[in-house]
Amino acid sequence: MNTANQSWQSFVPPSVSLYHVDHRKDLDEHEDLQEQCIRKNSLDVIHEAVFDWYMEQERENLTDTIDEIERKMSEDGRYEEFKEHAEEISDLIYERNDTDPTEDLIRHSTVTNLFYSLGVEIDGYSACSNTRGESEAMACYKVRRALKLKKGQYDDEILELVQNASYGGELRIYFNAMFDKLLTHNQDADFRTIRFHGDVVVAIADSRNGSGYDITLPIDITFPFKRDNLFVDSQVHYSYADEICGMSNDWCDSTLWETSMKRSKSHIPTSTMTEHQLQETAYEKTFREGKCTFGDMNYKRHRNTFYINDFPCGSKCPHCGTFWID
Ligand SMILES: [Zn+2]
Ligand SMILES: [Zn+2]
């Protein structure tokens, strides 16, 4: 074929696939990255990870495509022209790339268990005195007020929730979502409200000690959207669904939700979990650096702990002095 009148551009295929994401590959095992995306309202951390995961594949596919163009142009006696435009050819290949590994990985992923904290702490029974920090009636009132329920509405269910969450904890709404649906990718224009309806899963969970309870209420309620109160459940220690209850992924499917950009006048308190999470991250970091922190009660983040048989009995870390009383 005489290609003398063709431009070098016509040797670059109209569409190129620089990536192929295996159908079994998804982000389900990367809820830590999902959590970071939610925190930062951006997919950047996943783009960075994807860049590492697919860099080699991209390089191979790019080289193969370039080699093929070089071969065809050389056959037509246009090797010099190929050499001359080498850089532009590779730019054009990128431009004509039709695959986005991040998109594919998200498409292959399943929903994630998330919770929206209402920023309300319910006191539990203290182990020694066997009394609650607040009366049961007060705890029920706090739940009702946070859920904007009238007196008498779902009283039995709320009493069930409060009584069974005997260690107290944070009031949360659990729901399932594709994590990327909770991003606006714009720090200056975040969602303004989040609405929950359907059969809404309401829980009181204590992530510090690992306990909690949940109920389902057929309510329809809209809260101001506060990103700091939104969490990937598995990334909070203890996670309620996974570590505390061992539930299957679909357990909170019955909660329906929608975000909106409509302005909201109401406020909700900030969850204390953000602070807890930062603390956990700091403890983990110290541990990975070979050290430990006094006051970190997670036994696994200390080394060479030993048992003291004298009063008061318990275990002690020789490095930082943290003591676990029996
Ligand atoms: Zn696919
Ligand atoms: Zn220690």
Side-chain angles (χ1 to χ4, degrees), residues 256-269:
L256 307 178
W257 65 276
E258 275 123 37
T259 48
S260 102
M261 302 300 265
K262 268 183 259 153
R263 226 170 262 283
S264 160
K265 269 180 245 141
S266 55
H267 293 276
I268 58 167

Side-chain angles (χ1 to χ4, degrees), residues 296-315:
D296 175 7
M297 299 316 283
N298 186 343
Y299 206 83
K300 290 181 207 153
R301 282 188 298 237
H302 298 268
R303 300 170 178 89
N304 317 106
T305 51
F306 60 94
Y307 194 75
I308 303 170
N309 224 341
D310 298 325
F311 182 82
C313 297
S315 302

